[in-house]
Amino acid sequence: MDLIWLIPVLPGIGAALNGLLGIRYFSKPVAAAIACATMAAALILSIFAFAQLLGAEHREHVVTLGHWIPPIPLQTVDGLGAFQAPWAFRLDPLSGMMILIVTGIGFLIHLYSSSYMGHEPRGAYVRFFCYLNLFCCFMLTLVLGSTFLVMFVGWEGVGLCSYLLIGFWYHKKSAADAGKKAFIVNRVGDFGFVLGVFLIFFTFGTIDFREVAEAASHMPVEGAAFGVLSTICLLLFVGAVGKSAQIPLYIWLPDAMEGPTPVSALIHAATMVTAGVYMVGRNAVLFSHAPMVMTTIAVVGGVTALMAASIGLVQTDIKKVLAYSTVSQLGYMFLATGVGAFAAGAFHLMTHAFFKALLFLGSGSVIHAMNDEQDMRKMGNMKLYMPITYVTMFVGALAIAGVPGLSGFFSKDEILYRTFLASPLLWGLAVITAGMTAFYMFRLIFMTFFGEYRGPSWGHDAEGHADQKDGDHAADDHGAHAWHGPHESPTLMTAPLMVLAVGAAVAGYVGIPAALGGSNAIEHFLEPVYVAESAAHAEEGEHAVAHLSHAAELGLMAFSVLIAGLGIALAYHLYVRRPKRSEELAANWAGAHRVLTNKYYVDEAYNATVIKGTMSGARGLWAVDRNVVDGAVNGAGWLTRALAWVSHVLDKYVVDGLINLVAWICAEGSYVFRRGQTGLIQNYAVASLFGVFACVTVYLVVRFMG
Amino acid sequence: MMEITPAHYTVLSAALFSIGVIGVLVRRNIIIIFMAIELMLNAVNINLVAHSQQVENLVGQAFVVFVIAVAAAEAAVGLGIILAFYRNKETVNIDEMNVMRW
Amino acid sequence: MAETIAFYTLSVLILGLAVLVVTAKNTVHSVVSLVMTFLCVAALYVVLEAEFLAVIQILVYAGGIVVLYLFVVMLVNVGRPPEEHRDPRRLSVLGLGLAGAMLLEVAGIVAYSYSRSTSSVTAPAGPSPVQGNTEELGWLLYTDYLIPFELASVLLLVAMVGAIVLARRDL
């Protein structure tokens, strides 16, 4: 257990190897081997650690590697506190479960990717594994982190990797845009999260989860007033909303499907998007002291679940259906946490990780088989060509639909049951969502694997040689090999599918509810995480109160199963028996259909409000810049020029004028005298003669007249 | 007729000098102007000699010798200048000699 | 009486020839009149008993300077009339008038002064007994006025050099 710090470090080493050396030097198999090997090592380490944890008396273990930020004095609510952030990792039941999910599913997806990404050029292939390993590294940091700050490192790291992987095919504009969208939308949430962490430190003087929980448990429950705990929880929940794609920040997740399918499976279904749920669960003590925020979470979760499921009803892109399904299921998880059933949320998180990863990988297999075709309308009857994928995906669909006996049934019914206890209205929402979920999942299955084949034709070896020659040759040539029709994927891809199918089928048995004669083992396993140590006993007593009779619980269970069955039956009716009927329905309900197809125009609304607002705000600021700031500068410039002009005029007409006037006076005045300057020597002689004459005359006058 | 006194010589000298002055001021041929200057010098010489004889002192006559020497030098240099100018400007008209004018 | 006759005759000749010098259209005529004027002045010197100066006058003026003038007049063989161009700003008439007026004034002054003091001043006048004027003048020049005399010779040398330099073709 002291080696748990190695669990995140190992994928990090793989990422560093692949990223620093691999892109230049490694061949594809070497890169894939390094990535899978580090994940396998992390998985083994996780399993050992988990086993040790199960055997331990005190199920909590903290490993501190050293100081990241040494203690520095910072202001808190009561005097100066010491802000410190050690590199500390915490292994407890919740993080133990999470590392198993992350390393387990991560390992499978690494295996799957090594085949799925095989068509990529070598550099991109290595880069992909580098990102994927890096993601696992950060995700494990997030999960294992013992303080908010270490968690935040992982939190931001997975956001970064998500951005990198969504935009993996960065030369495609839609992919690059989707990456940016995910990153930017996540920033909104992260902002809330960071503010929450600040407030936590300010309030409690520490950012260690356990210490915060201890401190919070001694504070009164803020039932009536919206106090500091509620503020913290609301801010943290904003972060969770961003990361886990809830209303109103869910819009990035469907677009994130631009990334490669294994990425969708790992990041945008199984692990990263559940980080929000994990974080809320990790701070269960805080949240349970803020009932108003809990209500908010529950409502947001329920509405998100319903809304996303309804959009999923009409999507035709196979990955978009799964994306909205993911949003919907995440809504379920928040619904569970919102009503206080943290363990149920975590349980659903785990089962969802299995069946949603399975579904995504299955859809990836189908897409792979259909030569990168994602539109379900161009598929059909695929069960003929890829039986393994068909069977495994069918299991996954059954699981998510909540068919009894499979994992989804247990986790979902736990949520439904706890929701019913808290609020029948939310329960109604959740049940309708469950019906929709069953419908759209089986719509997906039926459209893809049943009916007639509706995709493009391909060249058979014997016939159709000619039309391949003249028609599709160029189009088929884009891959390394020509497309020879849908085919079963290689073993490296089907093996993870099978493993996950088994997981999706049996994972629920760790949490069989008491009503069915089980002991709900996982709930008891996780329970210590959700209560402060000192308050553990009190909480236990409280739980005993809120219980319906087993019969009522069974009734609820039966009702939800019935709803799911109805959904499946409807899907079967509309897409297998009478495929035309669905189109008629779409035509009859054109308005509703259009609204759903356009995802309630949420993207458009964001475009019209937030983006337009930002743009027009920027434009306004620009206008202010241009008119006021530039105007001031230009005005100053103009003023300077005007003054300079005045000065110039003054210079030119007054100063120069004076000088010119003097010169002019001299010139004009000298005109008279200049006339004497004829240049004629004789005139000068006349002048001197005049002088002599004058002298003689004077002499004459003086001598004889005087 | 009355006796000839220095006053007569003086008047003669003045008249000759005036003719020279008029020649200098009126004529435009620079050679004639030079000749008028010679006339003026002669007028001065007459005056000097007449009064030298009157006061019975030969210094006046000695001075005339110097005047003649200076007149010779002046004539030589002046005529040299006229020649040089004529070679460049093809004229002896003093009204056209204005190259040194501002 | 002979002196009086000589004086008036020579005066008339000198003034008349001088007027010819100044007014002649032809430059050569002017030069000839100048020679005559100089000769008349030389004669006047003789009347005034300055024989040496008379000789000098004939040798230097009539023989040297006038020949120089003649040379120049011959060399400056102008194609067009030398006084064709006339600057309108010339003050010829004013000069003429001033000169005339001044002559009248000077004549007036001289005549008046002598008429007032004839008795006193003219007493010592009369033919001077001085003979051998040339010898005495030579004594004077080579004793009292030796240095100015030598300077005059230097002046003449300088003038000669200057004239030669000015007359060079390449100036």
Side-chain angles (χ1 to χ4, degrees):
Chain A
M1 268 205 292
D2 287 329
L3 288 178
I4 53 168
W5 59 272
L6 263 178
I7 297 171
V9 168
L10 275 169
I13 291 170
L17 271 179
N18 272 337
L20 296 178
L21 302 172
I23 291 177
R24 176 92 28 120
Y25 302 112
F26 291 171
S27 66
K28 284 191 197 178
V30 172
I34 287 173
C36 294
T38 53
M39 282 310 292
L43 174 60
I44 292 164
L45 213 55
S46 304
I47 291 170
F48 276 126
F50 193 72
Q52 271 181 302
L53 186 72
L54 283 176
E57 177 82 359
H58 183 65
R59 284 178 178 170
E60 184 180 337
H61 192 78
V62 178
V63 176
T64 304
L65 283 185
H67 270 300
W68 172 18
I69 299 174
I72 47 175
L74 267 185
Q75 187 65 40
T76 66
V77 74
D78 38 25
L80 223 52
F83 180 84
Q84 55 178 328
W87 281 113
F89 297 102
R90 175 193 303 276
L91 187 69
D92 60 4
L94 183 59
S95 60
M97 183 191 84
M98 288 301 288
I99 57 171
L100 281 184
I101 293 170
V102 174
T103 53
I105 294 180
F107 172 66
L108 291 175
I109 288 174
H110 272 73
L111 272 185
Y112 179 91
S113 303
S114 65
S115 167
Y116 184 86
M117 299 301 286
H119 296 174
E120 294 295 316
R122 193 189 62 80
Y125 187 83
V126 178
R127 185 162 58 89
F128 179 81
F129 276 106
C130 168
Y131 290 166
L132 215 55
N133 261 0
L134 192 64
F135 168 79
C136 291
C137 166
F138 280 126
M139 189 68 207
L140 290 165
T141 310
L142 191 164
V143 167
L144 282 171
S146 168
T147 67
F148 278 98
L149 211 57
V150 176
M151 183 191 211
F152 189 65
V153 170
W155 186 272
E156 286 301 311
V158 293
L160 166 71
C161 293
S162 163
Y163 164 74
L164 290 172
L165 284 165
I166 293 168
F168 182 71
W169 288 308
Y170 51 81
H171 44 80
K172 217 165 83 187
K173 188 178 183 321
S174 58
D177 286 347
K180 275 188 287 183
K181 188 173 179 182
F183 207 62
I184 291 166
V185 172
N186 264 309
R187 289 281 77 68
V188 179
D190 294 348
F191 185 60
F193 184 70
V194 170
L195 286 183
V197 175
F198 291 163
L199 196 54
I200 283 169
F201 178 75
F202 187 71
T203 310
F204 301 114
T206 177
I207 51 170
D208 185 87
F209 288 127
R210 178 50 70 187
E211 288 169 26
V212 169
E214 278 299 320
S217 69
H218 295 303
M219 294 173 82
V221 175
E222 291 172 344
F226 196 86
V228 66
L229 284 179
S230 302
T231 313
I232 290 171
C233 291
L234 196 63
L235 288 170
L236 290 180
F237 179 59
V238 168
V241 159
K243 198 52 103 191
S244 291
Q246 297 298 294
I247 289 175
L249 299 179
Y250 72 90
I251 46 166
W252 65 271
L253 187 54
D255 284 25
M257 297 302 129
E258 289 287 346
T261 309
V263 172
S264 308
L266 178 61
I267 300 182
H268 305 122
T271 53
M272 185 189 86
V273 290
T274 62
V277 181
Y278 166 78
M279 192 264 284
V280 173
R282 171 58 81 198
N283 297 298
V285 178
L286 269 180
F287 278 90
S288 50
H289 279 72
M292 290 163 85
V293 179
M294 291 290 272
T295 313
T296 312
I297 295 173
V299 170
V300 167
V303 173
T304 307
L306 181 66
M307 183 174 173
S310 67
I311 296 171
L313 291 179
V314 297
Q315 295 298 314
T316 53
D317 186 318
I318 187 167
K319 284 181 73 179
K320 283 279 166 69
V321 175
L322 291 172
Y324 281 106
S325 166
T326 306
V327 176
S328 173
Q329 298 300 314
L330 289 166
Y332 259 117
M333 295 174 209
F334 275 109
L335 181 59
T337 46
V339 298
F342 297 107
F347 184 27
H348 194 59
L349 190 163
M350 183 190 78
T351 56
H352 173 258
F354 278 108
F355 56 68
K356 189 49 66 65
L358 166 62
L359 286 167
F360 261 116
L361 293 186
S363 77
S365 177
V366 172
I367 291 165
H368 196 62
M370 290 298 292
N371 206 17
D372 294 341
E373 178 58 67
Q374 300 194 6
D375 193 337
M376 290 191 295
R377 286 170 299 190
K378 293 184 180 159
M379 298 173 184
N381 208 14
M382 299 294 284
K383 67 172 186 254
L384 218 70
Y385 304 107
M386 34 203 325
I388 300 175
T389 306
Y390 162 63
V391 171
T392 51
M393 270 193 88
F394 200 85
V395 171
L398 285 175
I400 192 173
V403 170
L406 295 166
S407 62
F409 168 75
F410 297 109
S411 57
K412 189 180 282 183
D413 270 317
E414 182 65 21
I415 292 173
L416 287 173
Y417 167 59
R418 297 295 297 267
T419 309
F420 185 78
L421 288 180
S423 155
L425 183 70
L426 285 173
W427 175 81
L429 282 183
V431 169
I432 296 169
T433 306
M436 286 180 172
T437 307
F439 174 79
Y440 67 65
M441 279 321 299
F442 276 87
R443 172 174 171 270
L444 186 152
I445 295 289
F446 292 143
M447 281 182 86
T448 310
F449 292 102
F450 288 78
E452 295 166 15
Y453 177 73
R454 300 179 293 274
S457 60
W458 63 91
H460 295 287
D461 284 336
E463 59 190 60
H465 219 34
D467 63 85
Q468 189 188 7
K469 270 267 164 61
D470 57 39
D472 301 309
H473 203 278
D476 285 345
D477 232 336
H478 80 97
H481 57 85
W483 187 54
H484 296 300
H487 53 85
E488 184 56 275
S489 304
T491 322
L492 263 180
M493 283 166 71
T494 52
L497 286 179
M498 291 185 276
V499 174
L500 283 170
V502 172
V506 304
Y509 288 101
V510 297
I512 303 167
L516 291 177
S519 59
N520 214 346
I522 188 161
E523 203 151 324
H524 294 300
F525 174 62
L526 290 174
E527 206 57 59
V529 181
Y530 298 129
V531 292
E533 270 167 26
S534 55
H537 306 291
E539 291 276 326
E540 227 162 274
E542 207 174 291
H543 264 290
V545 179
H547 265 303
L548 283 173
S549 68
H550 281 186
E553 198 180 337
L554 281 174
L556 287 175
M557 220 175 267
F559 185 68
S560 68
V561 169
L562 184 69
I563 293 283
L566 264 176
I568 296 170
L570 190 64
Y572 183 68
H573 180 71
L574 287 181
Y575 291 97
V576 179
R577 286 182 53 198
R578 298 181 55 190
K580 292 280 182 292
R581 186 82 182 102
S582 64
E583 285 158 36
E584 286 166 29
L585 263 180
N588 287 345
W589 299 81
H593 188 259
R594 203 176 315 118
V595 167
L596 290 181
T597 314
N598 288 310
K599 308 146 198 165
Y600 293 110
Y601 298 102
V602 170
D603 275 334
E604 283 76 3
Y606 273 115
N607 267 336
T609 55
V610 178
I611 295 174
K612 277 269 172 58
T614 311
M615 295 285 278
S616 56
R619 251 178 249 277
L621 288 176
W622 177 56
V624 168
D625 247 19
R626 193 184 44 180
N627 294 329
V628 178
V629 179
D630 283 15
V633 174
N634 286 343
W638 182 87
L639 202 67
T640 311
R641 286 185 50 175
L643 286 175
W645 184 81
V646 168
S647 168
H648 157 76
V649 168
L650 218 65
D651 258 15
K652 188 172 174 183
Y653 292 104
V654 177
V655 179
D656 285 14
L658 277 173
I659 291 170
N660 285 341
L661 183 69
V662 171
W664 181 83
I665 289 171
C666 288
E668 288 303 307
S670 68
Y671 186 73
V672 179
F673 304 101
R674 200 174 60 191
R675 296 188 60 173
Q677 297 287 328
T678 55
L680 296 170
I681 290 173
Q682 286 158 311
N683 279 9
Y684 305 153
V686 167
S688 77
L689 180 65
F690 180 81
V692 175
F693 169 75
C695 289
V696 173
T697 308
V698 166
Y699 176 80
L700 194 68
V701 168
V702 169
R703 179 79 193 277
F704 301 113
M705 310 293 165
Chain B
M1 288 292 252
M2 55 170 46
E3 196 185 352
I4 300 303
T5 61
H8 290 81
Y9 287 102
T10 308
V11 172
L12 170 67
S13 170
L16 189 58
F17 190 87
S18 292
I19 291 167
V21 166
I22 288 165
V24 166
L25 293 183
V26 173
R27 293 306 295 261
R28 293 189 292 278
N29 188 331
I30 194 163
I31 298 170
I32 292 180
I33 289 171
F34 264 88
M35 290 193 268
I37 291 170
E38 300 296 343
L39 288 180
M40 286 155 76
L41 288 168
N42 268 284
V44 171
N45 285 353
I46 288 169
N47 211 359
L48 281 170
V49 173
H51 284 88
S52 159
Q53 202 246 0
Q54 172 70 22
V55 297
E56 295 184 345
N57 189 336
L58 279 174
V59 176
Q61 291 193 13
F63 204 82
V64 169
V65 172
F66 291 121
V67 170
I68 289 169
V70 170
E74 172 249 320
V77 174
L79 290 170
I81 290 171
I82 288 168
L83 267 182
F85 187 84
Y86 177 77
R87 274 209 304 268
N88 287 328
K89 286 282 185 180
E90 292 283 330
T91 183
V92 287
N93 188 337
I94 197 165
D95 281 5
E96 294 171 32
M97 293 183 184
N98 51 10
V99 286
M100 300 267 283
R101 202 172 69 183
W102 55 271
Chain C
M1 200 60 204
E3 194 196 356
T4 310
I5 294 166
F7 173 78
Y8 281 113
T9 313
L10 285 174
S11 291
V12 168
L13 276 173
I14 286 170
L15 291 178
L17 286 167
V19 169
L20 272 178
V21 168
V22 173
T23 56
K25 287 273 175 248
N26 193 325
T27 320
V28 180
H29 295 174
S30 192
V31 175
V32 172
S33 304
L34 188 66
V35 178
M36 304 299 280
T37 312
F38 286 159
L39 290 175
C40 293
V41 170
L44 196 64
Y45 288 164
V46 174
V47 172
L48 284 169
E49 296 170 353
E51 300 87 359
F52 178 69
L53 285 182
V55 172
I56 292 283
Q57 175 87 358
I58 290 164
L59 286 179
V60 176
Y61 265 125
I65 293 175
V66 171
V67 169
L68 200 60
Y69 274 101
L70 260 179
F71 267 118
V72 172
V73 169
M74 297 305 172
L75 283 173
V76 179
N77 193 8
V78 287
R80 61 199 177 99
E83 302 191 43
E84 189 185 55
H85 176 262
R86 185 180 183 279
D87 196 306
R89 292 170 296 180
R90 301 172 54 88
L91 304 167
S92 316
V93 178
L94 179 62
L96 192 64
L98 276 177
M102 199 175 66
L103 176 59
L104 288 177
E105 281 181 347
V106 170
I109 290 166
V110 169
Y112 186 71
S113 344
Y114 272 88
S115 70
R116 292 276 297 274
S117 58
T118 310
S119 55
S120 59
V121 178
T122 51
S128 171
V130 178
Q131 293 295 320
N133 164 279
T134 309
E135 191 185 344
E136 289 200 23
L137 192 59
W139 273 111
L140 202 60
L141 285 175
Y142 288 109
T143 53
D144 291 358
Y145 298 100
L146 182 62
I147 291 173
F149 187 78
E150 292 299 331
L151 277 178
S153 68
V154 172
L155 172 73
L156 282 171
L157 179 67
V158 169
M160 186 173 73
V161 172
I164 290 167
V165 168
L166 282 169
R168 280 168 63 101
R169 277 269 158 211
D170 55 357
L171 188 76

